[in-house]
Amino acid sequence: MSKPWIVVVLAVLLLLTACGDPSSAPEAAPTPASPGSGSTTHQRPAVTPGAGTGPAKPTAPKSGSPSEAAADTGRPRPRVLYLGDSIATENQKVLGGLLREEAKARYTSAPYSGTTLCDYLEGTGEDSLVPAQDKAAALVRRLRPDFVVLQFWGNAWDYTPCMDGVSYTTSRDKYFARYTADARRLTDQIAGAAGGGEAKIVWVLQGPDAVTPDRIRRVNAVYERQAKASGDLLADAGKAVSPATARYTWAQYLPCTAYEREHASYCTQPGSGRTALHRDDDFLHFCLAPSSSKPRPCPVRSPGILRITKAISRAVVSAAR
């Protein structure tokens, strides 16, 4: 098979799996302890306080109740809101567990598969995959989070109506211009919704793209510029799923970390000392369970998800101190 055809096949596979989500299982994957310290779907997930374990209406008064008291360390318990696409959907349960364990965080996740930045902007209701009550600003007004974690791989397909058909494939300049403008607008809307309070945005930098590595490099550059301009934060989760000497080179397998070697279920090929980040049939997602049309948290232990969520948790915990 010639190289052009390989690229085409990979691109088709990515398009088919870009919004797929892990299949369900009787029990969700348990959240690991911290060491030392598909098919397209438009289905709406429940906004879930805690770790995304079940439908509930999030309510989080800023202060006052005994359950809102400071953690054992005497520091206030941070409120964390996690928004994003199908990668956030598969990550949400593990991230919630880590944040609760490491920062006593009060955590709410509201990811929607297939989304992009504009889906979370107020004013895009009818042309968006996210309903009005779950827009970023609406959730910030309701929950008053200290941190808003944004995880967006860079979707721009036809099923993301608010992108108006702009995609990296058809118009790269317009695609990056839209991402830049939407990152600025989303930042402004979150800041406005926070009122007199402060909601720090944590921009999650993405891992390598198997087909168009330069696209992810430039998407991350958009997030980096916006974080610098607004005084917000970065979590380089993508570095954790990249080769040590090649930040934007895609890899299905990487050497097991010390933690993964100590916990056999996270080092998938102990004989060779390496672990799987992606399934053979999914070059984008990190859940090692088969894809399904119903979005939900990943139901199995997956090294890539653990690596990504640890990087996000570290950024939040460090800023919360």
Side-chain angles (χ1 to χ4, degrees), residues 2-145:
S2 65
K3 288 185 177 179
W5 278 108
I6 293 174
V7 172
V8 169
V9 170
L10 285 172
V12 170
L13 285 170
L14 274 176
L15 285 169
L16 289 175
T17 61
C19 284
D21 287 289
S23 64
S24 60
E27 295 182 356
T31 302
S34 301
S37 41
S39 57
T40 301
T41 177
H42 296 171
Q43 179 175 345
R44 177 188 170 192
V47 179
T48 56
T53 56
K57 183 178 180 180
T59 55
K62 195 62 179 177
S63 62
S65 68
S67 63
E68 303 285 316
D72 296 341
T73 60
R75 294 189 296 269
R77 296 171 58 197
R79 286 183 175 82
V80 182
L81 174 62
Y82 186 37
L83 307 178
D85 51 27
S86 58
I87 293 178
T89 299
E90 66 183 11
N91 289 347
Q92 60 184 312
K93 192 175 185 67
V94 176
L95 179 60
L98 288 172
L99 287 170
R100 287 198 308 277
E101 178 187 341
E102 296 173 0
K104 308 297 183 185
R106 290 157 290 182
Y107 171 81
T108 303
S109 58
Y112 283 78
S113 234
T115 54
T116 187
L117 297 175
C118 60
D119 286 294
Y120 281 90
L121 287 168
E122 290 191 319
T124 57
E126 293 183 359
D127 293 324
S128 169
L129 303 181
V130 177
Q133 69 270 20
D134 291 342
K135 300 295 189 183
L139 289 172
V140 168
R141 281 191 292 269
R142 188 156 81 245
L143 300 173
R144 295 296 180 188

